Amino acid sequence: MSCSKDETGEVTGSAVMLCTDAENKKICDLTHDGALCGLPRADTIRALINQQRIPTVKNAYIALTVLDKYKACLENVVLAQSSIQKSDEISRFSTIANIPKFQDRIVKETKGVRPEINLWLYQKTGNADYWESMVNGVDMAVDVHQDVYTVMMAKAATRSMDEAREIADLLLDRTEFLNDLAPEVFEFYIMFNLKNENNFKAAVWHGLYTEYIKENPGINTRYFKFHRKMASSTLDKAQNLVDSIVFDTNWKGVKVKELRNALI
């Protein structure tokens, strides 16, 4: 079971079990063999195996970003020097040195339209050419990681909220389930609707945000009543809509396209 794949074909096992498979030896050898940064290491191993088995642009991007997190974790660890820990320290430094090389290989081997890779390269270098390539790539690809949209959305919002709204709407159109949306998307629609004084939709988005992201259900009635001057009856309608969205769905969640009119 630990080596099994989920319904999307992705590996979802423990690092220990995955590393017993000879097929994964090179990936497991890349990681630090001590007890440091156990969770980032496990995430790294799973992401690299997924990228190796299903070499999509999105999987390559996920692999690059988890490697960044794993490397940062190892760099932040300070070990007391002792003879017992010496081999541990050598392994840690070796892993830190090898991660950028492995990332370079992933970038070179990932072909086709790749906005996610260009986002990663832009964030690493600040080179505007990568940003332009990323933006152009979004129009040519359908299955794009949400990070691309949320970064574009944030940058557009500094120029025009309507421009940012177009990007947010595009992300909605390309996302199947509401609970798959990134927190930034919920936050954007709350802010956009408040700015445009559509308090009802702002309240609905806030209720969905607290349900799916904060896991602390309930619209902030105090804020909407006293600061946005919303009537209790309107707030009740908003909360009832949120409740119907949350509870009247199957186990996978509600499909965005079924709610587009209510939310947008």
Side-chain angles (χ1 to χ4, degrees), residues 3-258:
C3 293
S4 66
K5 299 178 183 179
D6 66 16
E7 61 181 7
T8 65
E10 293 184 349
V11 173
T12 57
S14 70
V16 173
M17 292 301 296
L18 290 169
C19 287
T20 60
D21 188 338
E23 181 186 352
N24 303 327
K25 185 176 187 305
K26 286 186 178 179
I27 288 173
C28 295
D29 286 349
L30 168 73
T31 61
H32 172 56
D33 60 10
L36 301 171
C37 301
L39 289 177
R41 177 177 183 264
D43 289 341
T44 296
I45 289 169
R46 282 190 289 268
L48 292 179
I49 291 173
N50 284 328
Q51 186 268 335
Q52 178 177 271
R53 294 184 181 180
I54 313 171
T56 63
V57 176
K58 186 181 285 189
N59 280 348
Y61 172 72
I62 293 170
L64 291 170
T65 53
V66 296
L67 280 166
D68 282 337
K69 292 175 184 175
Y70 183 41
K71 181 171 178 282
C73 178
L74 290 173
E75 287 173 337
N76 288 332
V77 170
V78 178
L79 290 178
Q81 295 297 314
S82 71
S83 57
I84 297 175
Q85 294 171 324
K86 199 65 179 176
S87 62
D88 224 29
E89 187 75 341
I90 292 170
S91 173
R92 181 171 75 95
F93 281 121
S94 175
T95 300
I96 290 170
N98 286 330
I99 283 176
K101 299 173 187 175
F102 203 88
Q103 289 175 315
D104 287 344
R105 198 184 89 186
I106 291 173
V107 170
K108 289 174 183 175
E109 291 178 351
T110 306
K111 307 298 182 184
V113 180
R114 49 182 211 170
E116 295 95 333
I117 305 300
N118 285 312
L119 169 61
W120 185 82
L121 289 168
Y122 171 74
Q123 290 174 327
K124 286 285 181 185
T125 66
N127 187 329
D129 290 341
Y130 290 127
W131 178 269
E132 186 176 349
S133 296
M134 177 196 74
V135 173
N136 293 336
V138 169
D139 292 332
M140 294 184 283
V142 175
D143 187 21
V144 179
H145 196 283
Q146 286 194 67
D147 285 1
V148 174
Y149 295 105
T150 54
V151 169
M152 288 175 60
M153 197 169 64
K155 192 164 187 176
T158 63
R159 302 187 298 269
S160 164
M161 287 294 286
D162 289 330
E163 183 184 343
R165 162 75 181 272
E166 290 178 6
I167 298 169
D169 289 354
L170 177 61
L171 174 54
L172 279 191
D173 288 338
R174 294 184 174 186
T175 304
E176 185 173 9
F177 294 106
L178 188 65
N179 49 303
D180 288 336
L181 289 173
E184 293 88 346
V185 182
F186 292 88
E187 292 165 357
F188 171 78
Y189 280 111
I190 295 169
M191 179 176 64
F192 179 85
N193 284 300
L194 287 175
K195 186 175 185 297
N196 287 277
E197 298 187 355
N198 191 331
N199 293 324
F200 179 81
K201 285 189 176 179
V204 171
W205 274 105
H206 181 271
L208 294 171
Y209 176 76
T210 61
E211 178 69 38
Y212 290 115
I213 307 302
K214 293 297 186 181
E215 297 181 354
N216 183 26
I219 295 170
N220 186 340
T221 54
R222 181 176 178 82
Y223 170 79
F224 284 97
K225 269 186 180 180
F226 294 102
H227 295 281
R228 307 301 297 192
K229 308 301 181 185
M230 283 183 71
S232 297
S233 58
T234 307
L235 271 171
D236 288 342
K237 288 179 183 177
Q239 186 62 62
N240 288 338
L241 176 55
V242 171
D243 292 342
S244 69
I245 291 170
V246 172
F247 296 117
D248 295 346
T249 57
N250 61 33
W251 66 273
K252 284 186 177 180
V254 63
K255 291 190 175 182
V256 172
K257 66 181 181 181
E258 295 172 358

